[in-house]
Amino acid sequence: MAKPTKPPKPEELVKIDYNPPEKPWMEVPVEFKPGTFCYGTRPKYLEEVGLPNPREWSPTDDDWKLPSDWKDTVINGIGERLKKYRSFQLFMDICVRCGACADKCHFFIGSGDPKNMPVLRAELMRSVYRKYFSLGGKLLGNLAGARELTFDVFKEWWYYFYQCTECRRCSVFCPYGIDTAEITMMARELFNLLGCNTDWIAGPVANCYRKGNHLGLEPHTITSNIEFMLDDIEEITGIKIEPTFNRKGAEILFVTPSGDLFGDPGTYTCMGYLMLFHELGLDYTWSTYASEGGNFGFFTSMEMAKRLNYKIYAEAKRLGVKWILGGECGHMWRVVHQYMDTWNGPADFLEEPVSPITGTKFENAKTTKMVHIAEFTADLIRHGKLKLDPSRNDHLKVTYHDSCNTSRGMGILEEPRYILKNVCNHFHEMPEDTIREKTFCCGSGTGLNAGENMELRMRGGFPRANAVKHVRDSHGVNMLANICAIDRATLSALMQYWVPDVEVCGVHELLGNALVMTGEKERETDLRLEPLPGKEEDEDV
Amino acid sequence: MELKDLLREKRAVILKRWFDLILETYPSETSSFLKKQKNQFSNPVGHTISEGIEGLFDGLLEESGTDGISPFLDNIIRVRAIQEFTPSEAIGFIFLLKKVIRESLQREIRDHRLYDELEGLDSRIDDLVRISFDIYMQCRERLYELKADEVRRMTFRLLQRANLVREIQD
């Protein structure tokens, strides 16, 4: 028997909210506000890689110039992917809306927009899935949480699936392990069936396809930029380094994100690599063709990611190297670690990587034949193969940001920390819930590092910046180290907005500062050409 | 009885009500999260607002100068300047304090005839709005600077190589 209900108390009656209830989320149309979305792609980028529906368009247009059968394309596209990827089917079916993920997304935490809760972001697509692919949804429609695919729904998808950085923090907390990143990937594949990529992603894709790197730089530009860095290294250390390019027969091919070659502070990280390899006398070569570790195809479609990734093994084969060493990058490593072997392998023409300096076998890279530089360097330090003077970094109080892809995607947690603790004397961790597997995203990954969506990036990056601010206030931290090129590029802007006195660097920049090189002159400056501690000029005296 | 004493006495009630009203400027799903989650790293927005309004409230009572109050205002406005708010909504949360004080202390103000003191407090609150406008504009201008800076930084070496970078001579 049901319990009799008590009449409300007077004070409870007073609390009644007379505001009309808010509209259910399905009935709130999306509004494109400047600063929160990226520009639509220019047609030339789609034409260059043969993607459909190239035309001039903008997300704020009423007409996106979609083909008349666009709806069929999307529904069929979902159907194909449900068959192809069992995980996608599972993720559409098994969510029980427990809400464990809801407050774990940096975009929700920073923006306060409920549609940035991972559960609701996924529900944007699940509702359409139910309508067209589940019996309950077909029969009961809205009652079963199903809805028609309309142009407004498609626009809503576009807005919110380009507000997910595929960082996978939510999946760490999901009791079913639902990976919202994979749902976002599917959504972005569907957009690309209709020519609806962003300009910031489609541009690097086209450039990579034609010339091997995001900026579309040609071989002579790449070599001369590295030579520029070599001049700086000579000025700082007195040592002239002469790396090789496209050298057949080298033992190791080195591949790094092109951001390290042209953008600050990535270039200082690159100087660190060059100095380390020189000091070791490593038999390695750069490639001006496999000149990009990053892969914006990964933010477009699996097929495009595979196409752009192909060059790495192809170049390793052409040059006849034994194995591949990779620089500090985030999503590049997700691709290498989880997809490269099945897409473009087996790399049976390469050997299982062995460090020529320590003899360590990198068994974790047995199939991919590609080793992360943080593992390589940590192993060198562990075996006492490097002479280091951490006091050269005494002007820095360092904390470490785990990049989403290297931490959650492949478990590189200890190696960068081990290097940092050996190359600097002042290292402080950020709070526990904001690092390692639970790290907060920079807010600008998966091709969201454009300029026009700066407001969105500042929202998404706020939880990360907030933790940095904490260690700045409690320990005086002034340097945020990381092992990702997108982090190096975007955290700088994030810090300038939220914690202006903290700078950003790669781990190998600090290694380059501390590395005592054979025959070097007494160092006066760090790799940024700023005076080392105790070497400041006494101009003011 | 002075208004300040009353405000001190009712500090917790006023701050809680002010906090709740500010959170009502967010969608309902969001405001319940911002209220419930107490961990400052899991809920930086809620934490920034609650810490910020405490600082503002105490600063108003102690009549701290702009330097004492600005950091608290800056923390809150820096967040709201990049969220889904119009400029007036972003800084309008300050006016809510007037409403809360009137609601909470209506009777006491009337009984003790504290209108002069209330007027003084109102004018100090208006001052906060004035400072807020400066902070809001700084935040927005910073956003545009960031865009320009980032483009320059991303291709710095290329610009340098093409002799497009010049150091400004003192």
Side-chain angles (χ1 to χ4, degrees):
Chain A
M1 193 179 150
K3 283 184 185 172
T5 47
K6 285 184 189 168
K9 293 176 187 166
E11 56 269 31
E12 283 172 348
L13 278 174
V14 172
K15 282 184 192 163
I16 287 175
D17 182 2
Y18 292 99
N19 293 325
E22 290 178 8
K23 280 186 182 175
W25 64 266
M26 278 192 199
E27 291 168 28
V28 182
V30 68
E31 193 187 337
F32 284 82
K33 290 186 186 158
T36 61
F37 61 91
C38 296
Y39 301 141
T41 178
R42 274 167 273 189
K44 66 172 185 177
Y45 292 145
L46 301 183
E47 282 158 3
E48 282 169 12
V49 290
L51 283 173
N53 201 24
R55 81 279 180 220
E56 296 286 348
W57 72 291
S58 162
T60 51
D61 290 345
D62 291 334
D63 179 5
W64 283 18
K65 299 177 193 161
L66 301 178
S68 57
D69 61 347
W70 71 269
K71 208 185 277 191
D72 294 338
T73 305
V74 175
I75 303 298
N76 295 337
I78 295 175
E80 275 170 37
R81 281 159 187 78
L82 288 168
K83 281 188 202 135
K84 198 167 156 193
Y85 304 113
R86 198 162 65 97
S87 53
F88 182 40
Q89 174 82 58
L90 269 174
F91 298 160
M92 287 292 102
D93 283 330
I94 61 174
C95 174
V96 291
R97 297 187 201 79
C98 69
C101 64
D103 56 357
K104 305 304 185 296
C105 171
H106 50 289
F107 280 116
F108 172 66
I109 296 172
S111 72
D113 183 343
K115 286 184 186 171
N116 276 325
M117 292 178 181
V119 57
L120 196 41
R121 193 187 286 108
E123 199 66 16
L124 302 178
M125 185 177 283
R126 277 197 196 103
S127 53
V128 171
Y129 160 78
R130 288 191 200 103
K131 178 73 190 170
Y132 298 91
F133 297 94
S134 82
L135 187 61
K138 279 179 192 165
L139 294 175
L140 299 171
N142 203 272
L143 287 174
R147 63 173 174 170
E148 292 270 353
L149 176 63
T150 62
F151 181 50
D152 277 344
V153 168
F154 188 71
K155 280 186 4 186
E156 185 185 47
W157 282 10
W158 198 90
Y159 192 68
Y160 286 103
F161 287 114
Y162 285 115
Q163 291 194 16
C164 166
T165 43
E166 301 178 7
C167 82
R168 302 164 88 220
R169 186 169 193 267
C170 51
S171 72
V172 171
F173 297 89
C174 174
Y176 288 93
I178 294 172
D179 190 348
T180 311
E182 291 199 18
I183 298 173
T184 298
M185 285 175 189
M186 295 300 105
R188 293 192 181 186
E189 288 203 2
L190 297 172
F191 301 147
N192 275 284
L193 297 176
L194 297 164
C196 295
N197 207 344
T198 70
D199 201 60
W200 192 258
I201 296 174
V205 164
N207 286 337
C208 258
Y209 185 60
R210 281 181 297 119
K211 294 186 179 165
N213 56 69
H214 288 166
L215 288 179
L217 300 163
E218 290 168 359
H220 60 282
T221 315
I222 293 169
T223 51
S224 59
N225 269 283
I226 290 180
E227 280 159 12
F228 220 83
M229 289 181 223
L230 298 173
D231 291 344
D232 278 357
I233 294 173
E234 190 174 0
E235 188 184 331
I236 297 162
T237 65
I239 294 172
K240 183 149 187 65
I241 296 177
E242 291 175 345
T244 62
F245 297 91
N246 309 317
R247 176 165 61 89
K248 288 190 175 179
E251 183 182 356
I252 298 165
L253 167 65
F254 182 63
V255 178
T256 200
S258 66
D260 285 350
L261 306 180
F262 311 103
D264 286 349
T267 47
Y268 308 120
T269 309
C270 193
M271 286 160 72
Y273 306 148
L274 287 159
M275 292 159 74
L276 173 70
F277 300 157
H278 173 83
E279 183 59 20
L280 296 171
L282 203 66
D283 178 14
Y284 85 107
T285 189
W286 293 79
S287 165
T288 54
Y289 301 99
S291 52
E292 177 66 73
N295 187 333
F296 276 30
F298 193 53
F299 315 138
T300 303
S301 69
M302 286 298 149
E303 288 72 24
M304 189 56 72
K306 180 179 173 178
R307 261 165 104 180
L308 300 185
N309 172 261
Y310 184 80
K311 63 178 176 267
I312 296 181
Y313 279 156
E315 187 66 343
K317 194 169 193 175
R318 185 180 77 87
L319 296 175
V321 299
K322 288 183 182 166
W323 56 279
I324 309 164
L325 183 62
E328 295 183 12
C329 187
H331 76 275
M332 154 181 166
W333 280 99
R334 177 105 191 266
V335 169
V336 167
H337 184 67
Q338 290 171 319
Y339 300 97
M340 181 162 79
D341 182 37
T342 42
W343 284 343
N344 293 316
D348 46 12
F349 53 91
L350 296 173
E351 292 176 14
E352 186 180 332
V354 176
S355 169
I357 317 297
T358 65
T360 299
K361 271 192 181 180
F362 294 99
E363 291 180 356
N364 55 325
K366 209 172 199 166
T367 55
T368 62
K369 316 287 198 298
M370 187 155 173
V371 175
H372 194 291
I373 193 162
E375 296 173 320
F376 179 74
T377 304
D379 174 66
L380 293 169
I381 297 174
R382 181 84 178 82
H383 286 88
K385 300 292 183 190
L386 300 180
K387 197 172 170 197
L388 299 167
D389 177 3
S391 73
R392 289 179 187 166
N393 284 317
D394 273 356
H395 53 316
L396 304 174
K397 293 196 166 70
V398 182
T399 191
Y400 177 68
H401 160 72
D402 290 272
S403 309
C404 307
N405 284 296
T406 47
S407 61
R408 281 189 280 271
M410 60 187 297
I412 295 194
L413 304 170
E414 300 306 332
E415 291 86 345
R417 289 179 165 80
Y418 183 74
I419 299 171
L420 286 172
K421 285 172 189 170
N422 278 282
V423 301
C424 53
N425 289 319
H426 308 292
F427 176 75
H428 304 279
E429 289 279 16
M430 284 183 273
E432 195 188 337
D433 282 353
T434 72
I435 53 168
R436 297 177 182 266
E437 293 93 339
K438 294 179 193 162
T439 185
F440 276 119
C441 180
C442 62
S444 306
T446 61
L448 299 191
N449 52 327
E452 63 268 22
N453 61 339
M454 192 59 85
E455 231 169 291
L456 177 80
R457 289 173 47 191
M458 294 302 115
R459 294 176 192 178
F462 180 43
R464 167 43 73 226
N466 180 58
V468 176
K469 195 174 172 197
H470 176 75
V471 282
R472 180 204 62 182
D473 294 345
S474 51
H475 298 290
V477 160
N478 58 8
M479 186 58 91
L480 178 59
N482 61 76
I483 52 167
C484 168
I486 288 184
D487 280 334
R488 282 191 285 281
T490 67
L491 286 174
S492 299
L494 191 75
M495 290 303 108
Q496 280 176 6
Y497 186 78
W498 293 108
V499 207
D501 30 9
V502 175
E503 291 193 82
V504 177
C505 73
V507 167
H508 279 76
E509 177 186 339
L510 302 187
L511 178 106
N513 279 343
L515 185 68
V516 180
M517 298 172 75
T518 315
E520 72 179 11
K521 67 176 190 187
E522 189 178 342
R523 294 216 203 162
E524 302 286 333
T525 70
D526 63 14
L527 300 192
R528 298 186 182 199
L529 295 171
E530 284 161 16
L532 285 173
K535 304 279 181 184
E536 299 89 350
E537 282 175 330
D538 299 331
E539 284 174 0
D540 300 333
V541 177
Chain B
M1 180 64 96
E2 284 190 25
L3 182 61
K4 273 186 190 170
D5 300 327
L6 287 169
L7 289 169
R8 273 193 198 103
E9 209 173 280
K10 294 228 173 177
R11 181 179 183 274
V13 180
I14 291 171
L15 283 174
K16 182 173 182 309
R17 179 73 182 134
W18 190 17
F19 183 64
D20 288 350
L21 283 180
I22 296 173
L23 294 199
E24 279 176 24
T25 61
Y26 292 88
S28 57
E29 299 93 331
T30 309
S31 61
S32 65
F33 157 71
L34 295 176
K35 255 183 229 181
K36 275 185 215 153
Q37 176 56 263
K38 300 295 179 200
N39 181 309
Q40 70 179 91
F41 303 108
S42 303
N43 179 13
V45 174
H47 177 76
T48 302
I49 294 173
S50 77
E51 199 185 55
I53 60 173
E54 279 178 30
L56 290 179
F57 187 81
D58 296 341
L60 277 172
L61 283 190
E62 290 175 19
E63 300 191 29
S64 319
T66 309
D67 290 350
I69 283 186
S70 280
F72 297 105
L73 266 184
D74 186 291
N75 286 346
I76 301 179
I77 291 164
R78 196 160 291 274
V79 172
R80 292 174 70 88
I82 48 102
Q83 291 182 324
E84 297 265 322
F85 295 112
T86 61
S88 61
E89 287 167 345
I91 61 176
F93 72 95
I94 296 163
F95 291 119
L96 295 172
L97 179 60
K98 288 188 180 180
K99 175 181 156 88
V100 174
I101 289 173
R102 277 167 175 73
E103 271 176 12
S104 319
L105 299 172
Q106 198 177 22
R107 189 185 304 155
E108 291 87 340
I109 289 169
R110 197 180 50 219
D111 293 352
H112 295 96
R113 297 177 183 279
L114 298 172
Y115 295 109
D116 284 350
E117 280 187 62
L118 184 65
E119 203 176 308
L121 181 70
D122 276 353
S123 126
R124 288 205 296 284
I125 294 175
D126 291 342
D127 259 356
L128 290 187
V129 178
R130 194 176 48 78
I131 304 166
S132 295
F133 185 68
D134 292 343
I135 296 174
Y136 180 86
M137 285 312 297
Q138 280 163 13
C139 290
R140 299 299 304 184
E141 280 167 12
R142 174 48 69 96
L143 275 182
Y144 296 106
E145 284 165 14
L146 291 180
K147 290 183 194 181
D149 276 2
E150 194 170 75
V151 171
R152 192 187 60 86
R153 217 174 26 241
M154 273 180 183
T155 50
F156 183 72
R157 294 284 167 162
L158 291 173
L159 297 172
Q160 208 176 26
R161 214 174 52 84
N163 284 325
L164 293 173
V165 178
R166 285 276 181 279
E167 278 192 22
I168 298 170
Q169 302 296 323
D170 292 330

